[in-house]
Every structure is written in structure tokens, then in C-alpha cells.
Amino acid sequence: MTFQRPTFRHPELPPNAAGYTRRDYEGGLSTLCAGCGHDSICNAIIQACFELALEPHRIVKLSGIGCSSKTPAYFLNRSHGFNTVHGRMPSIATGANMANRDLIYLGVSGDGDTASIGMGQFVHAVRRNLDMLYIVMNNGCYGLTKGQYSATADKGSRGKKGGVNPLESIDLCELAIQLGAGFVARSFAGDKRQLVPLIKAGLSHRGLSFIDVISPCVTFNNNPESTKSYHWVREHSEATGTVDFVPFRQTIDADYADDAVATVVLHDESEIRLHKHSPEVDVTDRRQAIDSLEDHKAEGLILTGVLYVNPESTDTHEILNTSMRPLNSLTEADLCPGADILEAINAAHR
């Protein structure tokens, strides 16, 4: 068996606006279990970056430990990458982001990596509104250690081993909204039509964008009694609306039904257009977003799509008024302005 992608590609593959073909956004062959939802998420990331015409060398991909954290090897092989230790991806992402704000940061984690050992790291990355897209591949179990329940497994859910989960689950989307994330969404690995626009919107939002993707573990948690299985999610999900991401550099030309449409303008002047299933849904209302999640949970449903957007979100750099230039470009004169300026700064605080 080979773990290298074939080098041959059709010579007439269409390039995007930046001159790259889809192949330029691919990585190595996946070593995950056949049918794993994580592979579908990887393909959605590849498609989103291709459609946005992002330059691969401007993207930084980061991960922790777990099945999900192996996936950066399977996409964007021409980008920067850092595989951290278990649960520590957010702190490495914070340091890299503070050093160079000009790059695009994509963090990939799992429900164990984020909701257990990495919970403290996740919480502080969100409350600082770090400028990155944070994707959790959520299968409700520890796939690398034989399928034990993770902290996101729903109470009463039954895994393939047969035991019922007796503990309450952590809803990472609710937590992200409460802590101040500027963009929060949930999707399903098997719904590429919804997931790709969500990833595109998350990559274009300034501040922390969080996407929780239900991604069934076909080996340990895909039985009918599991609330993270393909069958259960397809039967119990409801979308906030039909999502289409429209970059500002392209002509807005979408065919929508004559229902209520909410347009949310992001910081780079691009737009998320939402075909709302109910005129009462307002994804810019923080309180309503949390209430809607709880209402659907009480009915045994999973709410997907854009859950919350703060159009006035400010990222860590704006909050702290950091240098506009990457730190490695600063000279000694920039970092050591002299005794007179230092004295003026000290005098201002006396």
C-alpha cells in the first residue's frame, strides 16, 4: 500500500483566481479509518481554500493530539504547519498569531483535545477573540484509545461498546458564544453543501471563528444508539437556514426563494447570506442564539448552520493595539527607541 497521492493530474485542471488548482491545496493520503467523517471535513477545507483563492503559503495550520489532529497532513501540504501536544494547540496558535498577524490561522482539534485536556486553552483563545478559524471534529469519543466517551458525548447516548453515557455533555458552541467568539457555527461532516460555505465564512471573519462539526467515528461510535452517528444526525438535525458565502470581490449572483433573507457583513466587506427558515431567527442576537440551541436540544435535535455572528467583533490585535508589522521584521531601532522615549513612557504612568 502506498501513502503517496498519484502525481498525475489532468493538464487542464481549472485554476482559481490566484492561479492555483485544487491539487495545490491537497495533502497526503489519509490513514484514518475508511468512512471517517474527518476525511470529509478535510475535503471541505480543501474546497473552501480553493474557492477563496487563498495562497497556500499564507496559511498556518495547527493541531493537537488525536484522530482529528492527524488531519493537517491530509490538506494544504504547501502551507505552514505545527502539530502541538495534547490540548495545547490554542497557545501555540496565539504565539504565532501575535508574531505575525499577516498570515491566516486554521486550528484543527477534536472533542477530547478541546473539551477535556485542552479546555482551559480553548476558553482563553475564545475570550481573547484570537484571529483564527478553530474547527472541532466532534465524534463524541476517543478514537485513538478504543472509543471511550468524550466530554461532548450526549447524556444517555450509547456507544458501540454498549454502555450508556451517564454524564452531561459540554456544548462547545454555547460555550464559544458565551465567551465572546465573533462567529459560531455547527455542521455535519456528511453535509458538504453546508460545510464548505461555513468554512469560507469562518476564514474570512476577523476574530475567532468557531465551527463544531459532528464527525461520526465509524469504528467506535456509529451505531444507531449513538447521537453522533451518521443515521442519528441525519434524522435529528435542523439547519438555521440555507447558507451561501459571497466574497466581496465577486458579483453577488445567487438564486434565492422569496423568503426573508438576512445579510451579515463581515470585516473584510464580504457577506454571509442567510435564507432563514423563520423570520424570528436573528443570528446576530447572542441571547437568542443560546436559547435556540437549548430549545433544539430539549427536542432532541441538533441545530446546524450559522448560529451566531457578531458583525462588530474585534480581534486580539485590535484589543491590544499590537504592531502592524510581523515581529521578525522589527529592527533594533524599533524595539529599543532610546532612553528619552522610555523616560516619556514612564512619566506617563507616574
Side-chain angles (χ1 to χ4, degrees), residues 14-26 42-56 59 76 104 192-201 203-204 243-251 268 270:
N16 58 20
Y20 297 96
T21 67
R22 194 179 187 279
R23 179 185 176 187
D24 295 317
Y25 298 88
E26 295 177 351
C42 291
N43 284 323
I45 292 172
I46 292 170
Q47 188 64 30
C49 292
F50 170 73
E51 292 181 8
L52 283 176
L54 300 178
E55 296 174 306
I59 301 173
L76 297 173
I104 300 165
K192 184 178 179 180
R193 180 176 296 182
Q194 181 191 64
L195 182 56
V196 171
L198 290 177
I199 293 174
K200 291 166 67 176
L203 286 167
S204 302
V243 182
D244 190 17
F245 177 74
V246 186
F248 75 96
R249 60 181 175 272
Q250 298 177 3
T251 302
D268 64 354
S270 57

Side-chain angles (χ1 to χ4, degrees), residues 197-246:
L198 290 177
I199 293 174
K200 291 166 67 176
L203 286 167
S204 302
H205 177 80
R206 182 176 300 162
L208 194 131
S209 302
F210 178 74
I211 304 179
D212 178 37
V213 187
I214 307 300
S215 179
C217 176
V218 293
T219 301
F220 297 111
N221 209 21
N222 195 37
N223 50 298
E225 300 86 5
S226 169
T227 57
K228 296 290 191 290
S229 65
Y230 280 108
H231 176 79
W232 200 95
V233 174
R234 290 191 186 279
E235 293 293 324
H236 296 82
S237 64
E238 179 176 337
T240 57
T242 302
V243 182
D244 190 17
F245 177 74
V246 186

Side-chain angles (χ1 to χ4, degrees), residues 176-341:
I177 295 172
Q178 291 168 347
L179 291 168
F183 178 96
V184 180
R186 175 172 281 141
S187 192
F188 176 52
D191 191 353
K192 184 178 179 180
R193 180 176 296 182
Q194 181 191 64
L195 182 56
V196 171
L198 290 177
I199 293 174
K200 291 166 67 176
L203 286 167
S204 302
H205 177 80
R206 182 176 300 162
L208 194 131
S209 302
F210 178 74
I211 304 179
D212 178 37
V213 187
I214 307 300
S215 179
C217 176
V218 293
T219 301
F220 297 111
N221 209 21
N222 195 37
N223 50 298
E225 300 86 5
S226 169
T227 57
K228 296 290 191 290
S229 65
Y230 280 108
H231 176 79
W232 200 95
V233 174
R234 290 191 186 279
E235 293 293 324
H236 296 82
S237 64
E238 179 176 337
T240 57
T242 302
V243 182
D244 190 17
F245 177 74
V246 186
F248 75 96
R249 60 181 175 272
Q250 298 177 3
T251 302
I252 299 176
D253 185 13
D255 184 17
Y256 281 85
D258 295 330
D259 294 324
V261 177
T263 301
V264 179
V265 181
L266 301 181
H267 282 283
D268 64 354
E269 298 182 35
S270 57
E271 298 176 349
I272 305 170
R273 302 188 64 188
L274 304 170
H275 177 195
K276 295 161 58 174
H277 71 90
S278 167
E280 298 177 357
V281 174
D282 181 5
V283 296
T284 64
D285 187 323
R286 189 171 175 180
R287 176 68 176 270
Q288 188 178 108
I290 295 175
D291 288 346
S292 186
L293 281 167
E294 285 295 322
D295 290 344
H296 282 78
K297 190 183 300 183
E299 296 176 13
L301 299 174
I302 298 174
L303 184 62
T304 66
V306 178
L307 305 177
Y308 174 70
V309 175
N310 178 7
E312 299 178 357
S313 175
T314 56
D315 74 344
T316 312
H317 290 284
E318 294 174 292
I319 295 170
L320 299 180
N321 193 27
T322 62
S323 170
M324 295 295 295
R325 292 162 53 190
L327 298 188
N328 65 358
S329 68
L330 299 179
T331 65
E332 183 179 356
D334 297 317
L335 298 174
C336 301
D340 293 340
I341 294 179

Side-chain angles (χ1 to χ4, degrees), residues 29-39 42 66-68 70-71 74 137 144:
L29 284 179
S30 172
T31 59
L32 296 170
C33 303
C36 178
H38 294 3
D39 284 329
C42 291
C67 292
S68 60
K70 296 170 59 179
T71 62
Y74 312 143
M137 300 181 179
L144 283 184

